[in-house]
Amino acid sequence: MAVYESLQLHITADKFLIAPQNAGVSELLVIDRISHEISLEAPQSALPGTDTFKQQIYGIFGVVRLTAGPYLIVITNREKVGDVGGQTIWRVTDTALYSYQKTMLHLTEKQIMDNRTYLSMIELALKTESYYFSTTYDITHSLQRLQNTSPDFLSMPLHERADARFLWNGHLMKELTQQPELGRYCLPILLGFITVKSCNINNKPFDYILISRRCIYRAGTRFYVRGIDTEGQVANYVETEQIVQYDGQKCSLVQTRGSIPVFWKQRPNLKYKPKIAIDTANHHEVFKRHIEDQVFYYGEQVAVNLINSSGSEGQLERALSQSITRLQHQRLRYEYFDFHHECRKMRWDRLAILIDRLSEDINRFGYYMVGNDGVASAYQKGVFRTNCIDCLDRTNVVQGMIAKVVLQQQLGRLGIIEMGQKIDDFTTFKRMYNNIWADNADCISKQYAGTGALKTDFTRLGKRTTMGLLMDGWNSLIRYFKNNFSDGFRQDSIDLILGNYVVEDNEGVVHPTPLQKQRDWKFYAIPVIFVIALAMCTISILMPDEDMTEQFVYVLFWGSASIISMATMYIYGAAFIDNPKLVHTR
């Protein structure tokens, strides 16, 4: 039940026709642009003449409904990532949207403007760098989950057997998946990070693979989506799998990361670190549900918490610790490590203390291993669920170190390295491994925080550097501006593509649109006053006046105006940020 890998899109005045390029295929997908019906037809009777628009495509991303009506989203370019188990993995590099409607004459002027806004949201979501797919392999499941299934499961269409947690175009595919006969056109899309690298140690070639699967539940941006929701889903939840392929054998290690699973918020307000608001009064049941879900999927859990012990992070640490103590779950253990305190003054070698604490769990959990005969010889019995405040920078460092310890065991068991040899003895492989985990950090960080990760100098080089500290400062500054002034729109784009917000029919006429909400007057007036006052103050300083008293008065007046307006923006910070418009309860 593989998905068609190569297709040709034909666009006529009233239909989209999608023809598989596979030899011997005698069907054609037809989408009626007027009635919106989707069907299969014989190519001989349905294919149009040569005067229609034709385009090579590599899959259907889905269908999204905006103010103007439905839009067909197709993959127009791709890049090969590599092979897993002989199955090719691709990265989406370009997409295209085509409206079912031929004109916008049925819309009011305001609806046309709203449609442009929604369209730009979808385009922003599609521009995210790291969408992946395979037409033959289920990339949403780990090797161990795929092994622990029945033959009937493996014969199902890819979209039906995909793990819904990691299916990023599930909402967009609904109009296709409602018809079982269209299974070979339904292409599951994953958002995250995948890399496949060919390696060689001791003249033994093998593949090193890293797959990070970003969850669609409670998905969003750094400050607008924090903590847990009422369904037990947490923000920035990512499953990361390390795979080694050698001589037909495979080893796999799975780790997870996710926001601290209590009710907490940290809304942007122009401050560098907005105040954290914690509500632990009614979170016990959803916390319990989250942990039980994790145990169901992965087995025993070790929750590794890396946040600070002081300040607002300290309050979160105590809330999590108390929740775990209250739950008393037999398959959950808590390991707290104050990353910044323990590694202060660039003493990152002290991370070895944490790895030593986890060593017994690492050995007990083990990893999954399957031979070239398809028979599993080892299973992973539990996972490390790691978090810091954002589940990005500190989290990735520790996950990479845990993965390295297990990789040492895997390479030894596969016979790639010999007794007494260490991964660090092989400089080329060590550099490649470090760069892969740093790239993973950057990719996940861009998707959540808007910039590359911090602390990647340690991941890449094994030590903190002055240049790394400077780059962290620069990325922190970029994060600040994006989190305050562009993440609202980015959050809306994520909610729209995932179906958390659905555009109503006749929105803007019969139904009001959230895009029509008016900004507070302060949003427009005070920044203008600040810019004018600052400009006038600068001009007064740079253009000397014969009357020094008069110049001093000008500088004092405009300087005071700029300071007062800037202070007003700081006090009423929440009125000046870019808030999401489409979904209001998080």
Side-chain angles (χ1 to χ4, degrees), residues 1-4 7 18 20 27-31 36-41 60 63 157-160 173-188:
M1 291 299 293
V3 178
Y4 290 126
L7 305 150
I18 300 174
E27 66 180 29
L28 188 73
L29 182 69
V30 180
I31 302 175
H36 304 170
E37 291 182 358
I38 304 175
S39 60
L40 293 177
E41 297 184 17
I60 302 172
V63 176
L158 282 178
H159 75 275
E160 289 186 16
M173 283 199 301
K174 280 185 177 179
E175 298 194 29
L176 294 173
T177 56
Q178 289 172 356
Q179 299 177 231
E181 68 273 15
L182 305 182
R184 298 198 68 181
Y185 294 91
C186 299
L187 180 65

Side-chain angles (χ1 to χ4, degrees), residues 490-503:
R490 193 159 65 95
Q491 181 67 55
D492 285 337
S493 72
I494 294 169
D495 286 326
L496 192 58
I497 202 167
L498 289 179
N500 297 333
Y501 179 84
V502 178
V503 179

Side-chain angles (χ1 to χ4, degrees), residues 20-74:
Q21 301 299 291
N22 305 52
V25 175
S26 58
E27 66 180 29
L28 188 73
L29 182 69
V30 180
I31 302 175
D32 193 301
R33 299 175 65 181
I34 300 170
S35 68
H36 304 170
E37 291 182 358
I38 304 175
S39 60
L40 293 177
E41 297 184 17
Q44 293 80 5
S45 60
L47 272 176
T50 57
D51 58 337
T52 59
F53 176 82
K54 292 191 295 185
Q55 183 174 25
Q56 174 75 36
I57 64 172
Y58 301 98
I60 302 172
F61 209 105
V63 176
V64 63
R65 291 181 176 271
L66 306 180
T67 310
Y71 281 78
L72 175 67
I73 309 173
V74 294

